[in-house]
C-alpha cells in the first residue's frame, strides 16, 4: 500500500458496505503518514454527499485513521473545547491520492469532558439487514466500539491532551508554509 507524504493534500472517501460512495472530503493535509497510521487536518473543506449535496466543514479538525483498528476519529477544534466524532469503520486503505474506508453507521460522539454517546444504532441495524453484514463483521464492529470506549476512558491516542497540541501545531506549520 502506498503511503501519503507529510504535507500532501489528499481526499478522504467514505463508502458503504455495498461498495457505494457515501461521502468525500475534498482536501485534507497529511500531518503523518505510515503503513498503519494517517493523521490529517482540514478546515472549511468541501464535503460531497452520495446524493450530490455539498457542504463545508465548520471548524478545524484533526483526523486519525488506523490500518488495524475498525474506527477513525475526527477531533473537531471548537471554541469551547475538543469534540470527537468517531466512526466505526473498516481500517483504511490509501491509493490514488485518496484515503478510503467503509463506514458502518455506528458512531461515538465524545464531548470535551470525555463523556460519550453511541449514535445511530437504528441506522446500523437497518443497513445490517439491507446490505447483509456478515455476523463476523457485526462481532468485529462491536468489539471495536468497546476498544474505542476504552481509549476514551484511558485518554489514549487522539483523546490524550498532548495529541491535540502536537498535531494542531503541525497543522499550523503546514498552513503557514502553504500560504507563503
Amino acid at each position: 500500500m502506498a503511503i501519503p507524504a507529510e504535507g500532501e493534500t489528499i481526499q478522504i472517501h467514505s463508502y458503504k458496505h455495498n461498495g457505494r460512495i457515501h461521502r468525500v472530503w475534498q482536501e485534507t493535509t497529511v500531518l503523518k503518514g505510515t503503513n498503519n497510521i494517517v493523521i490529517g487536518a482540514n478546515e472549511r473543506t468541501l464535503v460531497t454527499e452520495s446524493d450530490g449535496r455539498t457542504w463545508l466543514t465548520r471548524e478545524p479538525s484533526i483526523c486519525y485513521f488506523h490500518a488495524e483498528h475498525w474506527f477513525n476519529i475526527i477531533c473537531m477544534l471548537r471554541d469551547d473545547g475538543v469534540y470527537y466524532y468517531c466512526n466505526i469503520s473498516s481500517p483504511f486503505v490509501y491509493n490514488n491520492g485518496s484515503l478510503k474506508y467503509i463506514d458502518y453507521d455506528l458512531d461515538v460522539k465524545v464531548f470535551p469532558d470525555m463523556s460519550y454517546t453511541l449514535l445511530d444504532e437504528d441506522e446500523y441495524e437497518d443497513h445490517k439487514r439491507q446490505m447483509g453484514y456478515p455476523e463476523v463483521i457485526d462481532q468485529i464492529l462491536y468489539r471495536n466500539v468497546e476498544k474505542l470506549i476504552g481509549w476514551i476512558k484511558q485518554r489514549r491516542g487522539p483523546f490524550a491532551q498532548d495529541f491535540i497540541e502536537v498535531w494542531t501545531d503541525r497543522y499550523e506549520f503546514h498552513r503557514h508554509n502553504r500560504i507563503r
Side-chain angles (χ1 to χ4, degrees), residues 6-73:
E6 181 177 333
E8 181 180 354
T9 299
I10 64 170
Q11 288 189 343
I12 298 172
H13 294 188
S14 170
Y15 293 85
K16 287 299 184 182
H17 184 79
N18 62 7
R20 292 196 177 123
I21 194 75
H22 172 55
R23 189 172 286 142
V24 175
W25 288 260
Q26 292 298 325
E27 293 185 347
T28 296
T29 301
V30 175
L31 305 178
K32 178 180 182 173
T34 70
N35 284 328
N36 286 329
I37 295 173
V38 171
I39 298 172
N42 59 51
E43 181 176 6
R44 298 195 51 77
T45 193
L46 182 67
V47 179
T48 304
E49 301 286 342
S50 60
D51 64 4
R53 287 181 302 124
T54 60
W55 52 278
L56 289 175
T57 59
R58 292 187 306 223
E59 62 268 313
S61 296
I62 306 295
C63 312
Y64 175 90
F65 298 91
H66 204 287
E68 294 178 0
H69 299 306
W70 287 66
F71 52 80
N72 60 65
I73 302 167

Side-chain angles (χ1 to χ4, degrees), residues 56-93:
L56 289 175
T57 59
R58 292 187 306 223
E59 62 268 313
S61 296
I62 306 295
C63 312
Y64 175 90
F65 298 91
H66 204 287
E68 294 178 0
H69 299 306
W70 287 66
F71 52 80
N72 60 65
I73 302 167
I74 311 304
C75 314
M76 298 170 291
L77 313 176
R78 296 183 179 160
D79 291 340
D80 62 337
V82 179
Y83 289 77
Y84 301 84
Y85 201 85
C86 311
N87 297 291
I88 303 302
S89 66
S90 68
F92 80 88
V93 295

Side-chain angles (χ1 to χ4, degrees), residues 75-144:
C75 314
M76 298 170 291
L77 313 176
R78 296 183 179 160
D79 291 340
D80 62 337
V82 179
Y83 289 77
Y84 301 84
Y85 201 85
C86 311
N87 297 291
I88 303 302
S89 66
S90 68
F92 80 88
V93 295
Y94 177 78
N95 62 25
N96 298 324
S98 298
L99 183 144
K100 302 171 184 181
Y101 66 91
I102 299 170
D103 181 298
Y104 279 104
D105 314 307
L106 292 170
D107 301 301
V108 177
K109 185 173 183 179
V110 184
F111 300 90
D113 67 357
M114 290 296 149
S115 62
Y116 58 88
T117 305
L118 180 62
L119 305 171
D120 301 329
E121 291 177 277
D122 291 344
E123 181 183 1
Y124 173 76
E125 289 300 326
D126 289 346
H127 285 165
K128 179 180 165 183
R129 262 190 315 282
Q130 291 169 9
M131 294 183 220
Y133 299 172
E135 183 62 30
V136 67
I137 293 289
D138 189 60
Q139 292 169 5
I140 289 168
L141 297 176
Y142 276 101
R143 267 199 316 271
N144 276 270

Side-chain angles (χ1 to χ4, degrees), residues 6 30-33 37 39-41 62-64 77 158 162-173:
E6 181 177 333
V30 175
L31 305 178
K32 178 180 182 173
I37 295 173
I39 298 172
I62 306 295
C63 312
Y64 175 90
L77 313 176
D162 64 337
F163 179 93
I164 297 301
E165 292 167 9
V166 165
W167 297 110
T168 301
D169 288 349
R170 197 71 170 145
Y171 182 48
E172 290 301 319
F173 169 80

